[in-house]
Amino acid sequence: MIRPLLLLISFAATWACVCAQEQNVYPVGIGWVNVKERYGAKGDGVTDDTKAIQAALLNRNEPYLDRVSLYFPDGVYLVSDTLKYADGYYDCCVSIQGQSRSGTIIRLKDSCEGYGTGTSKPVLFTRGGNQSFHQNIRNITIDVGAGNPGAVAIDYISSNTGVIRDVTIKAAPNSASTGIEMTRTWPGPALVSNVTIDGFHQGIVVASSEYSMVFEHITLTNQRSRGFVSYLPTSARKIRISGSPIPFSLRGGPNVLIDCDVDADSIEGSHVEVSDKYYIRNLRLANISGGIADGGRYFNDYVDELLSGERFDLWPSEGLSLRLPIKDTPPTYVNNDTSAWASVESYGAVASDPFFVKRVDNDAIQAAFNSGKPVVWLPITRSVGSCFGVDRPIVVPEHVRLITGFDQSKFCFFDSATIVVAGDGPEPLFIERMNAIRVHHVGKRPVVLRDIGIDGYTNVAGSGDVFLENVVGAFRPQHATNMWARQYNPEIQPYTEAQHENHGGKHWILGMKTEGFAELTRTTNGGATEVLGGLVYPAQSHAEDVRPVAWVVDNARLSVIHSLRSYVPRGWYPVAVRETRGTETRELILDSLPWPNLPLFTTGTLPSTVPSFVDVNPNHVIRTYDGTLLISSEISHVEVHDILGRTYDSYHPPLPAFVTYRHNGTTHRIVR
């Protein structure tokens, strides 16, 4: 069923600071390559360091999945040409790591040859294609200098995972072309987070048929033409743009904008460019002359919720999307006292390659966790297959705040081995920068999985919140949990399993990319899943005798926006959504949708507030769209049903809900 588009009442955008103390001291042995020590870079702001840095980028030890981290101590690294990554088919996995965001600067010489008017030439140039895995840039400033109108600060491609995080990109006035450019094949999925870009012709430009990109906590100031340009499926939240004539140019899609803020500084002719594939929510516009023109509607101050195209549902529902509550990822744990860091190697663990010999170091690794130190880290392993092996559960005490492999190391989990997260304290545990992690979550303590591959996540009832950032692998908790994800890529999972499961929790996902024909999400038991953009990419043909279903929702709630790409016969899901309410099941057939996108499907909506109780007599029937019971304490008994028709006779604290009740044959609606 198609529902009309809605523009709801406005309210001011709110912003959360992502400012935090920097990690700028690291232990010896993590395996990063110091460009000063190994390749002779000076970082003095005078010497041309182009050849030294270029040599570091091209010096690879192994041809495939060899992860290299280049460490730049604080300094100004003057360059005069493009810094190009190795670009062979199997080259990938380079991390650029600055000591500090403001103190580590790669700076293009002023008026540098090759960067003049009419050119477009990058300073930093990753390899392209869909084998460009794990390309990371962190804690650094890229300064394109003055007199370089053709300069592109970063020409970026990363596949499956990759991140630009905690980076400043700047140019002198009237000097440069583009801050971050992603116009080659094929950008994403990857994450750009906590990035500031100032002084370019265009801030960020994304243009390709696939895959998808996620942006969050981006500040774009003083771009002379366009701030954020997208021809690709993008999901963006908390982008703040000021001083650009065209803050957003949304030309491909679908493009999702959530909680963004624009101040056009009263520039004459300033406006937002939109095409026909976008979803915008909580966008504040200030000092903009043209605003947004959407068909016959016009907005120049605030957009609460706006969708181009049609919204689909299988049962009547209110509003557009679910609008689940959003939590920011907790601030990064920082500890610059390296004596508080426990290396598993220091306690006797030795990395080995299980292809040749299986070695486990359960006691040594558990000893590192039991050391009383808040950081446990894995030193570099010397080959792609090497790892620190365990074959039984490793329990993480509550004093441990961070587990990291620094992009250079990992565990190998044999048999029932997993990382057990216990404890009910409020301080989150960060697990980051390694591959193939297993987690069993048994406490209420929050867990942050960041820049990581998931080999398995299990939990118990009542376990704590989970945050995913730049994650590859399936998230399938057995019990209800609340989860917030940014750049989530389940990749290919077995056809008989779901790529993502939610059994009674609230899962909010900003950008999700998938491959294969497994169910994309399976939401059950009153859970709620909101997927805001991304790409469905089956990349294969399904068998003629099967009928794959993309999104499955069983007596629960779902809101989803996505794009679909396929280039092979039977390369799509015949059933876009299968929804069950009570015992009745309905299907949304893909052929009924505007190919190749699902603009928005929603099973129901969650307004922000509800009455503390509904004062009714025992003959009233109350229905709540999230299964919450609202019963006045003055009533001794009342017949209460949820939306699925289930009957209750007990009181539960109210959650945000849309409430209707029936009295004397009349249906009443209450929203406070």
Side-chain angles (χ1 to χ4, degrees), residues 115-434:
Y115 290 89
T117 302
T119 64
S120 179
K121 185 174 180 179
V123 175
L124 198 61
F125 186 81
T126 70
R127 65 151 291 185
N130 59 4
Q131 300 285 316
S132 185
F133 305 127
H134 311 295
Q135 309 288 18
N136 306 310
I137 304 170
R138 303 183 182 97
N139 289 71
I140 201 166
T141 292
I142 308 294
D143 182 350
V144 303
N148 295 310
V152 175
I154 303 174
D155 190 323
Y156 181 72
I157 301 291
S158 191
S159 304
N160 285 349
T161 63
V163 67
I164 301 177
R165 183 186 288 117
D166 302 326
V167 170
T168 297
I169 300 170
K170 61 183 181 180
N174 301 310
S175 177
S177 171
T178 307
I180 301 176
E181 184 171 281
M182 290 171 273
T183 59
R184 293 176 291 141
T185 52
W186 293 276
L191 172 68
V192 180
S193 177
N194 203 20
V195 169
T196 296
I197 301 176
D198 178 74
F200 290 78
H201 183 70
Q202 300 181 112
I204 295 174
V205 180
V206 190
S208 183
S209 59
E210 62 214 31
Y211 296 91
S212 58
M213 288 293 304
V214 176
F215 301 86
E216 190 177 36
H217 301 298
I218 308 296
T219 300
L220 305 174
T221 56
N222 304 313
Q223 319 312 321
R224 298 185 299 280
S225 176
R226 290 168 170 83
F228 182 91
V229 183
S230 176
Y231 292 81
L232 179 83
T234 56
S235 302
R237 177 174 177 262
K238 289 197 172 181
I239 297 184
R240 174 175 289 176
I241 302 178
S242 62
S244 297
I246 304 175
F248 288 103
S249 180
L250 308 180
R251 292 303 186 186
N255 291 288
V256 174
L257 296 183
I258 306 290
D259 301 336
C260 295
D261 196 323
V262 167
D263 187 337
D265 291 347
S266 301
I267 297 173
E268 184 177 355
S270 55
H271 65 284
V272 173
E273 293 180 339
V274 294
S275 60
D276 60 346
K277 301 181 183 70
Y278 57 86
Y279 171 74
I280 301 173
R281 187 167 83 205
N282 192 22
L283 170 65
R284 189 184 73 86
L285 302 167
N287 302 312
I288 190 166
S289 59
I292 300 175
D294 176 78
R297 297 175 295 177
Y298 175 73
F299 312 97
N300 67 351
D301 56 358
Y302 182 77
V303 177
D304 183 78
E305 194 168 25
L306 179 64
L307 172 70
S308 68
E310 304 165 339
R311 183 181 72 80
F312 294 81
D313 59 25
L314 291 166
W315 270 272
S317 57
E318 297 287 332
L320 288 179
S321 64
L322 289 183
R323 301 187 76 149
L324 295 180
I326 303 171
K327 284 187 178 181
D328 283 322
T329 304
T332 301
Y333 176 73
V334 173
N335 192 321
N336 284 309
D337 177 8
T338 57
S339 68
W341 292 54
S343 164
V344 297
E345 206 169 62
S346 297
Y347 292 83
V350 177
S352 63
D353 190 335
F355 183 81
F356 300 104
V357 58
K358 176 184 174 181
R359 176 189 172 98
V360 295
D361 285 301
N362 302 315
D363 292 341
I365 291 171
Q366 186 64 67
F369 281 97
N370 293 344
S371 66
K373 298 184 178 183
V375 181
V376 175
W377 62 282
L378 281 61
I380 185 172
T381 53
R382 298 301 172 183
S383 67
V384 172
S386 293
C387 55
F388 291 92
V390 291
D391 63 2
R392 73 179 190 220
I394 301 296
V395 179
V396 182
E398 201 158 355
H399 69 261
V400 175
R401 299 291 311 282
L402 170 65
I403 307 169
T404 180
F406 290 113
D407 302 316
Q408 300 288 130
S409 191
K410 63 182 179 180
F411 292 108
C412 278
F413 296 96
F414 304 108
D415 304 329
S416 63
T418 188
I419 298 294
V420 180
V421 182
D424 296 331
E427 298 294 346
L429 171 66
F430 289 82
I431 309 176
E432 62 180 32
R433 299 174 79 160
M434 66 179 74

